[in-house]
Amino acid sequence: MSPQLSALQRNKLGFFFWLRKLIYLWVRTKIVPQNPLDELGIDPTKPVCYILSNNSLSDLMVLDEQTRRLGLPIPRHRATSLRSPGAVAFISLQRTGLLQMERGTPKDVHGQLLSLIEQAKADPSMEVQLVPTSVFWGRNPGKDEKSVLKLAFFDDEHAGMLQKMFIVIAQGRSNFIQFGKPISLRNLVDEGASAPDTTKKLRRVVRVHFRRQRTGALGPSLPTRSLVAAHLLKTRTVREAIAEEARKKKITLNKAEVLARKYVQEIASEQQYSMVRLFDLFLSYVWRKIFDGIVVRHGARLRELDQTHEFVYLPSHRSHLDYLLFSYSIYYEGFVPPHIAAGINLDFWPLGPLLRRGGAFFLRRTFGGNRLYTAVFNEYMHYLLTKGHPVKFYLEGGRSRTGRLLAPKTGMLAMVVQSFFRDSTKPIVLIPVYIGYDKVMEVRTYQSELRGAKKSKESVSGLMKARRVLKNYFGKAYIGFGEPLHLAKHLDERHPAWREETKNPDEKPKWLHPFVLDLADQVMTRVNSTAVVSPLAIFALVLLSSQQKAMAEEELLYMMEKLVSSMRAAPYSRDVSLPDGTTKDWLKHAMSVCKAERFHHPIGDVIHLDERESVLLTYYRNNVLHLVAMPSLVASFFQHNETMTEDTLVSACARLYPFLQAEFFLRWPPGDAEKVARGVIEALVSEKLLFRHGPELRRPDFTSQDFASLKILGRALGQTLERYAVSAALLAQHADGNPFLRKDFETRCQLMAQRISILNGRSEPEFFDKNLFKTFVDRLKDLGLAHELDEGRMTVDPRIASTSAQSLGLLSTDIRQSILRMTSTEAPGGPV
């Protein structure tokens, strides 16, 4: 042991060996962040000083054990001896008494800080990384009231030695250590203040950091529903709604208030830490049984915001597992588990009470013009946002049946914006979140529902059947945190005078609805921009784009590598995560999850999908299809053309881009389409999938593997382009200007696409989704090619004929002839 250690440190560290081993027979520690060296930028070659809020022996043992396990610098030196490279120390700001923490900063601690700063002032080359480190025993914020039980068993930052002993026993299985971002001692000293003043500032900065770490990890105290009801029923908005309900239904104010209280009981969460811990233990077991791991990306970008901002999480919605998986992952990333909006269909016994205690609050699918219910729900949302409770809801409104993002439903997002108008004290950030799976447990049910099967109602019997999930293997789950969207900044950019225009809470600004629509579109775009690409998605993209859904193994491996290589050459966004490992690793993982068949052959194995599995895999392909939408569009022009001039190709891509952008929430505005297309062309040329000959672009020789790769890439958008062609061809029948019913037209498009798909030997589930045809028509309206009239009628511009011709030109001869034959024989429907 170093001779530089003080007697106190020698005694403590001397006990560490056997006490640490003894205590870790019971204690289980979770680390936040999970990879501190990379995420926090700690440089192990420079001196490090860990700063703890108190000198609790149990906290020091946790610090010592975890720095060893993580390969972090292990504290050994005195804080006053940190000049040598690699020297590591710790400082505790407060001392622990028998019953309570001693108040104020002990003189010896103040002296250590002062001495450290004086050394740095005397030596301009001296740099020390000060790492604030918090150790939490449990994550229970508690209730507002005090109790002996709380003092004995809940983590208390002021706990003395006796109380801490009980806390360690009670919460040892739920121990967290959180490393903060290093503070540069050199930067503090270089500000030029005196050593005593710099010491005071350092203590103040670190204490604020500890307070924010604690608030960010534990969150505000958890209120009961009765306290929430008492608060909401006193608000002006709810009181006015109660009075109107009484007048409207001719009942007494007391009866209307009872109804309002009933609504609060129906809506409000009653999150309890005991239930959060129960879910933690239960879900840890479940995830180990069904998943091969949970991959979380970009969690570090939230750490600096969670201590100063109110979080509203807006994830994609793939499965019922999303509710549990997301909260579990948030908990393990060191953030407060959010309050989660759940459909009232999930509020049945015993699931409803469990979810409610885990943090769910419930809402009806439609508010049906019920002003009292609307007022109560709005006030509850405002209560959560202003009391510091993070909130999570799904912009899509329901689970995606196709694997694509659904068009957003903006009701709850509008509530968030209006709440911010009323109280913008704490800034709100919207956190887009990508959630994906190697295998979604409901995917077979989704295919049936798209074909017209009635959605099964959630029930106790359905919950009991869910036990079968534990017998299945679902590969990995993926979560990607997108770029946060600061609500105040977004408002300042779009409507600089919003603070003045929203002072009257009873008047909504005229620009609110279009602003919320744009905001929702931005969120969905950022969700797609942070996609985590699984090996199964790459496998599905390639194999589903082959003609017979079968490929030789070596050819499949080459195509997968070429696809990922082109995605790296023309990255969709900096936040997209591509799979690690080799193509053989990807293939092995994909085949462990799906039911692809391998035919052994002396010349080489063949990988094949039957029709049923092909349909199921479209879901996982669609999760990431937006990432290759532009490269696939460029490649699709060379399916039936050997050469094209670059200018012609770029212009054609720009004309079709707005439809792709609307369907896939692509991140580039239409004005950048030509620039993006040229960038994609450059990437394909660099990958030798296209060749330049002067102003012309030429595809590879048709006998080469690169030509096969180009064809596979071009076919990725095949079904999407077929839908566009069907819709445009049917719309071209109305180019005479006569109005028609939009609803009937969308149904005709859907039925026509289904028929063509089946006649050509395919049964693509997306052809059964009417919403995709609706999105196409909406984009035509935005482009001025279609016009909405009254009573659901619309007309189209004659220019739609050229759009139809261009869409048809991208298809194979067989598909093109099928569309032309069927649209020419089908009656367009007379004027309405």
Side-chain angles (χ1 to χ4, degrees):
M1 187 172 291
S2 170
Q4 296 175 316
L5 288 172
S6 67
L8 177 64
Q9 286 175 313
R10 280 199 301 272
N11 290 338
K12 286 186 175 180
L13 295 175
F15 282 121
F16 265 4
F17 177 76
W18 66 270
L19 275 180
R20 193 179 69 244
K21 295 295 182 183
L22 181 62
I23 200 171
Y24 267 93
L25 293 175
W26 169 245
V27 172
R28 293 293 179 270
T29 303
K30 301 174 181 67
I31 303 99
V32 179
Q34 296 182 22
N35 193 348
L37 276 176
D38 292 340
E39 290 193 36
L40 301 178
I42 298 174
D43 186 348
T45 65
K46 295 180 181 179
V48 174
C49 182
Y50 299 100
I51 302 182
L52 294 96
S53 61
N54 60 70
N55 69 340
S56 163
L57 185 57
S58 56
D59 291 0
L60 288 172
M61 283 189 283
V62 170
L63 173 64
D64 187 68
E65 176 70 15
Q66 296 311 315
T67 51
R68 292 171 187 273
R69 292 187 182 185
L70 293 168
L72 289 169
I74 303 171
R76 281 292 176 268
H77 292 74
R78 288 185 302 162
T80 54
S81 304
L82 285 170
R83 293 189 180 186
S84 59
V88 191
F90 69 88
I91 293 177
S92 303
L93 293 187
Q94 291 178 290
R95 286 181 179 171
T96 307
L98 181 62
L99 299 177
Q100 282 284 298
M101 194 71 60
E102 294 182 5
R103 293 186 177 182
T105 302
K107 290 183 179 180
D108 59 332
V109 174
H110 179 84
Q112 289 181 62
L113 292 173
L114 181 62
S115 174
L116 195 61
I117 289 168
E118 287 175 342
Q119 289 180 60
K121 280 185 171 291
D123 183 0
S125 65
M126 180 179 174
E127 169 65 301
V128 177
Q129 302 167 93
L130 306 171
V131 182
T133 306
S134 297
V135 179
F136 302 108
W137 298 90
R139 299 273 293 280
N140 191 349
K143 303 290 183 183
D144 289 327
E145 73 279 359
K146 296 286 184 181
S147 69
V148 174
L149 188 66
K150 177 178 177 180
L151 292 174
F153 298 108
F154 294 173
D155 190 17
D156 183 354
E157 57 185 323
H158 303 296
M161 288 185 287
L162 185 60
Q163 184 182 351
K164 199 63 174 276
M165 181 180 69
F166 286 106
I167 291 171
V168 171
I169 293 172
Q171 302 292 345
R173 310 297 282 190
S174 183
N175 175 241
F176 281 74
I177 182 169
Q178 182 167 355
F179 296 96
K181 195 169 184 178
I183 300 169
S184 169
L185 180 64
R186 172 52 47 197
N187 289 346
L188 282 172
V189 170
D190 288 348
E191 290 178 2
S194 65
D197 288 343
T198 303
T199 303
K200 290 179 183 178
K201 180 177 180 180
L202 175 58
R203 290 205 314 268
R204 185 170 62 251
V205 167
V206 172
R207 280 180 179 142
V208 169
H209 194 99
F210 283 137
R211 173 55 51 196
R212 288 179 173 175
Q213 274 187 333
R214 190 171 188 84
T215 301
L218 273 62
S221 61
L222 300 174
T224 62
R225 274 193 290 175
S226 59
L227 290 174
V228 172
H231 173 82
L232 297 185
L233 294 180
K234 291 178 183 177
T235 61
R236 181 181 66 89
T237 304
V238 173
R239 296 307 305 174
E240 289 177 355
I242 288 173
E244 182 176 333
E245 184 79 4
R247 287 194 303 270
K248 184 178 177 182
K249 293 188 175 180
K250 297 180 180 179
I251 58 177
T252 65
L253 284 174
N254 284 340
K255 287 186 177 180
E257 185 173 313
V258 168
L259 182 59
R261 192 178 298 274
K262 180 182 176 182
Y263 288 155
V264 176
Q265 296 297 316
E266 177 187 316
I267 295 167
S269 165
E270 194 162 16
Q271 193 176 48
Q272 297 174 358
Y273 176 73
S274 58
M275 186 57 66
V276 172
R277 275 293 291 148
L278 183 62
F279 271 122
D280 174 23
L281 297 173
F282 173 69
L283 292 175
S284 294
Y285 166 76
V286 172
W287 302 152
R288 285 195 301 270
K289 291 281 288 184
I290 68 175
F291 289 136
D292 192 30
I294 299 172
V295 179
V296 179
R297 297 283 188 249
H298 312 305
R301 70 186 347 155
L302 307 184
R303 301 200 191 285
E304 293 184 4
L305 298 175
D306 77 306
Q307 299 166 5
T308 55
H309 292 69
E310 179 65 30
F311 281 4
V312 177
Y313 298 102
L314 301 169
S316 57
H317 199 9
R318 315 285 192 200
S319 166
H320 277 316
L321 289 183
D322 296 349
Y323 298 100
L324 304 173
L325 180 74
F326 181 79
S327 293
Y328 178 89
S329 300
I330 282 290
Y331 185 75
Y332 271 77
E333 286 294 309
F335 303 115
V336 178
H339 281 60
I340 304 169
I344 197 69
N345 57 307
L346 295 177
D347 190 17
F348 62 89
W349 190 91
L351 184 62
L354 292 174
L355 292 178
R356 196 183 295 277
R357 288 171 174 79
F361 62 96
F362 296 92
L363 72 156
R364 300 176 180 181
R365 290 299 180 188
T366 174
F367 291 6
N370 186 334
R371 188 189 167 189
L372 180 58
Y373 180 87
T374 303
V376 170
F377 194 90
N378 269 288
E379 283 301 318
Y380 181 68
M381 282 290 292
H382 185 64
Y383 173 85
L384 292 178
L385 293 169
T386 53
K387 295 296 182 182
H389 298 283
V391 174
K392 187 203 85 171
F393 58 89
Y394 300 106
L395 262 183
E396 296 169 276
R399 293 166 293 158
S400 170
R401 266 62 177 176
T402 64
R404 290 175 170 82
L405 290 182
L406 302 177
K409 293 178 171 58
T410 58
M412 289 191 68
L413 186 60
M415 293 180 196
V416 172
V417 175
Q418 289 175 277
S419 174
F420 190 63
F421 289 163
R422 292 170 60 186
D423 186 350
S424 56
T425 306
K426 189 172 184 180
I428 288 178
V429 285
L430 308 178
I431 311 295
V433 185
Y434 174 90
I435 298 180
Y437 302 87
D438 276 334
K439 191 174 182 180
V440 174
M441 67 176 184
E442 304 102 321
V443 72
R444 293 183 187 276
T445 305
Y446 292 165
Q447 308 303 333
S448 299
E449 291 176 6
L450 283 171
R451 286 173 169 78
K454 189 176 180 180
K455 179 181 177 294
S456 300
K457 186 178 180 181
E458 288 76 8
S459 63
V460 177
S461 60
L463 185 63
M464 296 301 291
K465 292 177 183 177
R467 292 178 301 171
R468 301 173 188 168
V469 170
L470 296 177
K471 299 179 181 179
N472 295 323
Y473 171 65
F474 292 92
K476 293 181 185 292
Y478 305 92
I479 294 178
F481 292 101
E483 183 182 355
L485 198 155
H486 295 255
L487 185 53
K489 181 180 178 182
H490 203 67
L491 281 164
D492 289 339
E493 291 173 353
R494 302 299 196 275
H495 302 280
W498 68 270
R499 290 175 179 84
E500 293 297 321
E501 296 172 359
T502 58
K503 281 185 176 180
N504 185 350
D506 296 324
E507 293 183 9
K508 296 180 182 178
K510 293 180 180 179
W511 47 262
L512 177 61
H513 181 64
F515 172 80
V516 172
L517 288 176
D518 174 68
L519 190 64
D521 192 69
Q522 289 289 321
V523 170
M524 302 301 269
T525 299
R526 295 189 187 197
V527 168
N528 266 349
S529 292
T530 191
V532 183
V533 183
S534 69
L536 182 64
I538 296 296
F539 174 83
L541 270 169
V542 173
L543 205 51
L544 291 178
S545 298
S546 63
Q547 198 93 37
Q548 304 299 327
K549 309 296 185 290
M551 295 181 76
E553 182 176 4
E554 65 274 12
E555 184 182 11
L556 175 61
L557 292 172
Y558 181 84
M559 302 292 181
M560 290 170 69
E561 174 60 38
K562 206 68 175 176
L563 177 64
V564 174
S565 180
S566 65
M567 292 169 77
R568 289 195 179 103
Y572 180 82
S573 81
R574 61 186 177 86
D575 289 336
V576 168
S577 300
L578 296 173
D580 299 321
T582 66
T583 51
K584 289 187 177 181
D585 296 331
W586 304 344
L587 180 59
K588 181 181 179 181
H589 180 76
M591 293 193 67
S592 72
V593 179
C594 73
K595 294 182 179 178
E597 298 178 19
R598 178 189 290 272
F599 292 103
H600 296 285
H601 193 275
I603 299 178
D605 289 359
V606 174
I607 310 299
H608 175 261
L609 294 172
D610 62 25
E611 182 179 353
R612 183 179 178 86
E613 195 65 20
S614 296
V615 172
L616 295 178
L617 282 185
T618 60
Y619 192 92
Y620 311 107
R621 177 202 64 191
N622 290 346
N623 286 175
V624 297
L625 188 55
H626 62 282
L627 301 179
V628 296
M630 281 301 286
S632 181
L633 180 61
V634 170
S636 65
F637 283 94
F638 292 91
Q639 298 291 301
H640 314 293
N641 297 290
E642 187 174 343
T643 64
M644 282 188 76
T645 66
E646 182 170 344
D647 288 344
T648 301
L649 176 59
V650 167
S651 178
C653 288
R655 284 195 295 273
L656 286 171
Y657 176 78
F659 303 103
L660 295 176
Q661 185 201 26
E663 180 171 335
F664 294 107
F665 296 99
L666 301 184
R667 68 186 190 89
W668 306 284
D672 291 346
E674 291 194 3
K675 179 181 176 182
V676 174
R678 292 187 189 279
V680 168
I681 290 168
E682 287 298 326
L684 295 181
V685 168
S686 70
E687 291 295 313
K688 295 183 170 51
L689 296 180
L690 289 177
F691 295 94
R692 268 203 177 88
H693 294 278
E696 282 193 336
L697 294 165
R698 181 182 297 274
R699 66 189 185 190
D701 184 88
F702 75 94
T703 61
S704 68
Q705 278 190 312
D706 288 335
F707 173 74
S709 297
L710 186 69
K711 289 201 75 172
I712 290 292
L713 183 59
R715 286 175 182 158
L717 273 185
Q719 290 76 39
T720 301
L721 297 176
E722 283 179 34
R723 280 190 287 104
Y724 294 169
V726 168
S727 302
L730 288 174
L731 280 170
Q733 295 181 332
H734 299 280
D736 56 6
N738 289 322
F740 56 94
L741 286 173
R742 172 173 176 160
K743 185 177 180 180
D744 291 347
F745 169 75
E746 290 172 358
T747 300
R748 287 172 57 217
C749 286
Q750 181 188 25
L751 295 174
M752 181 71 72
Q754 290 173 16
R755 183 173 173 81
I756 292 173
S757 172
I758 294 168
L759 287 173
N760 285 277
R762 300 193 312 276
S763 184
E764 300 290 344
E766 62 192 71
F767 289 140
F768 293 81
D769 188 358
K770 190 183 292 187
N771 288 323
L772 295 175
F773 297 97
K774 180 179 180 297
T775 300
F776 180 80
V777 176
D778 284 340
R779 181 53 75 176
L780 286 172
K781 284 169 52 185
D782 295 339
L783 296 172
L785 293 174
H787 309 281
E788 197 92 35
L789 304 177
D790 57 352
E791 299 178 351
R793 299 181 306 159
M794 64 185 305
T795 59
V796 293
D797 190 284
R799 290 176 295 165
I800 195 67
S802 62
T803 302
S804 174
Q806 189 176 67
S807 300
L808 288 168
L810 294 172
L811 307 180
S812 67
T813 303
D814 290 343
I815 299 292
R816 191 186 317 150
Q817 288 177 348
S818 294
I819 293 173
L820 290 173
R821 186 168 58 251
M822 295 186 72
T823 54
S824 65
T825 58
E826 197 221 32
V832 181

